[in-house]
Amino acid sequence: MKRVAVIGCGNIGTEIARAVDKGVVRARLVALYDIEPGRCRRLASGLERERPLIAESLGQLLGQRPDLVVEAASQEAVRQYGEQILKRGIDLVVLSVGALLDSETRERLRGAAEATGARIHVPSGAVAGLDALKSMSLVGVDRLVLRTRKPPRALAGAPGARGVDLEGLREPRLIYRGPASEAVKLFPANVNIAAALALAAGREPLVEIVADPTVDRNIHEVEAESKVSRLHIVVENVPSPRNPRTSYLALLSIIDLLRSLTGSVYIIAG
Ligand SMILES: NC(=O)C1=CN([C@@H]2O[C@H](COP(=O)(O)OP(=O)(O)OC[C@H]3O[C@@H](n4cnc5c(N)ncnc54)[C@H](OP(=O)(O)O)[C@@H]3O)[C@@H](O)[C@H]2O)C=CC1
Ligand SMILES: O=C([O-])CC(=O)C(=O)O
């Protein structure tokens, strides 16, 4: 069985650990790491099958010889640890995909991966259509737009929503319009999918974010045009139970990716 280690013991790290513990992902969970080790201890205490090492550093985590490391922490964590993991020849699943829109970080990680043959994996998250976008990118995507509509509480705390009276909103309000590379800095926990779209399409989407008190779902609309196809996809997602920012579909897409990477049947669809 593949050996998996997780960086970040918050919402998503917890879901991943539980999925491994329950056998939904057939792998061994060998190490956990977080800035705050107490979070890893709490998480590990709820696991039944195997107690992973609570690492005090990245070095200790890598000492457990993982085949795969999942970053479920922050864009900063991708910048801090990504290169060292890949340089050891270990595959990396990046959830804070926004970090990869910074060209310096992306090229550093790409260089490390190419040097060792390790791979960087990005989940499809809360959207669909990455498969078609990747195909369209072979002839060039001429236009790409992501319109994200979330209930105000899902946007609370984002640097880009500072100064907006989210609680007082009675009607939908456009609170951001601009390039994906800026959107992922201003809304780091809300539009990682903008980065996944950019990587698939080979160009940045224009991102619009609407705080909408009339909806209870996270809605993502993708429009793309190339000379071979026009794409229009709308995904209406139920928020995940523990974190309204994250769509439940995004959690499932991460579990599904891990099942593909650790199992013997590999269906490539994203
Ligand atoms: N690709 C996708 O589809 C999606 C990706 N995401 C992204 O995944 C990441 C995890 O999300 P989520 O689980 O909800 O976040 P949480 O905040 O619940 O958990 C993240 C944990 O990682 C810790 N952490 C942050 N930075 C570091 C670091 N440099 N080194 C070690 N630990 C660190 C945090 O500590 P502290 O709180 O002290 O910072 C926290 O305990 C986020 O970046 C989020 O934006 C989210 C949804 C969908
Ligand atoms: O889950 C969602 O709706 C999208 C999201 O938070 C992200 O991509 O960061």
Side-chain angles (χ1 to χ4, degrees):
M1 273 206 268
K2 287 252 167 81
R3 298 167 67 84
V4 174
V6 176
I7 300 176
C9 292
N11 282 300
I12 297 180
T14 301
E15 295 289 340
I16 292 169
R18 288 188 182 154
V20 175
D21 196 48
K22 288 189 191 126
V24 176
V25 174
R26 280 176 46 77
R28 288 192 55 199
L29 181 65
V30 294
L32 297 170
Y33 176 61
D34 196 291
I35 289 178
E36 171 47 58
R39 289 196 195 117
C40 297
R41 279 196 285 276
R42 277 193 295 284
L43 165 49
S45 69
L47 302 178
E48 287 173 7
R49 219 156 46 116
E50 181 172 8
R51 286 286 161 91
L53 175 85
I54 312 299
E56 285 174 10
S57 63
L58 182 72
Q60 257 193 13
L61 177 137
L62 296 177
Q64 291 301 101
R65 295 176 289 104
D67 300 299
L68 185 71
V69 174
V70 183
E71 171 280 314
S74 61
Q75 293 182 24
E76 180 57 23
V78 178
R79 288 190 284 272
Q80 275 180 294
Y81 317 124
E83 190 178 3
Q84 290 181 65
I85 294 164
L86 295 162
K87 269 189 174 163
R88 296 268 198 116
I90 299 168
D91 284 3
L92 175 65
V93 176
V94 174
L95 302 190
S96 308
V97 195
L100 300 179
L101 286 195
D102 172 60
S103 57
E104 190 273 328
T105 305
R106 191 173 60 247
E107 291 316 313
R108 219 162 27 86
L109 268 58
R110 190 201 300 271
E114 282 176 357
T116 60
R119 304 192 73 178
I120 303 169
H121 302 277
V122 170
S124 53
V127 278
L130 297 184
D131 48 353
L133 273 178
K134 278 197 286 191
S135 306
M136 286 159 73
S137 75
L138 295 175
V139 295
V141 175
D142 302 317
R143 178 171 170 269
L144 182 60
V145 178
L146 168 68
R147 269 184 218 103
T148 286
R149 184 176 290 268
K150 288 192 177 189
R153 69 195 170 102
L155 296 159
R162 244 176 243 145
V164 181
D165 176 16
L166 289 170
E167 282 181 18
L169 273 187
R170 294 291 166 262
E171 290 178 354
R173 174 164 338 152
L174 180 71
I175 61 169
Y176 178 77
R177 188 169 197 274
S181 50
E182 183 183 64
V184 296
K185 292 187 184 131
L186 294 174
F187 298 87
N190 285 110
V191 287
N192 285 289
I193 49 171
L197 290 168
L199 294 171
R203 69 171 293 154
E204 282 195 28
L206 172 70
V207 179
E208 294 181 359
I209 300 177
V210 174
D212 188 342
T214 69
V215 297
D216 57 5
R217 294 193 176 214
N218 296 331
I219 302 170
H220 303 292
E221 185 178 0
V222 180
E223 278 180 17
E225 274 182 39
S226 73
K227 59 176 179 260
V228 292
S229 303
R230 274 171 60 188
L231 184 85
H232 184 195
I233 291 181
V234 183
V235 190
E236 299 186 3
N237 295 311
V238 172
S240 58
R242 281 185 211 86
N243 181 353
R245 288 185 198 91
T246 301
S247 301
Y248 197 42
L249 183 71
L251 288 181
L252 297 179
S253 90
I254 293 157
I255 304 292
D256 176 60
L257 175 63
L258 292 177
R259 275 164 65 99
S260 298
L261 296 177
T262 56
S264 49
V265 178
Y266 197 119
I267 300 172
I268 301 170

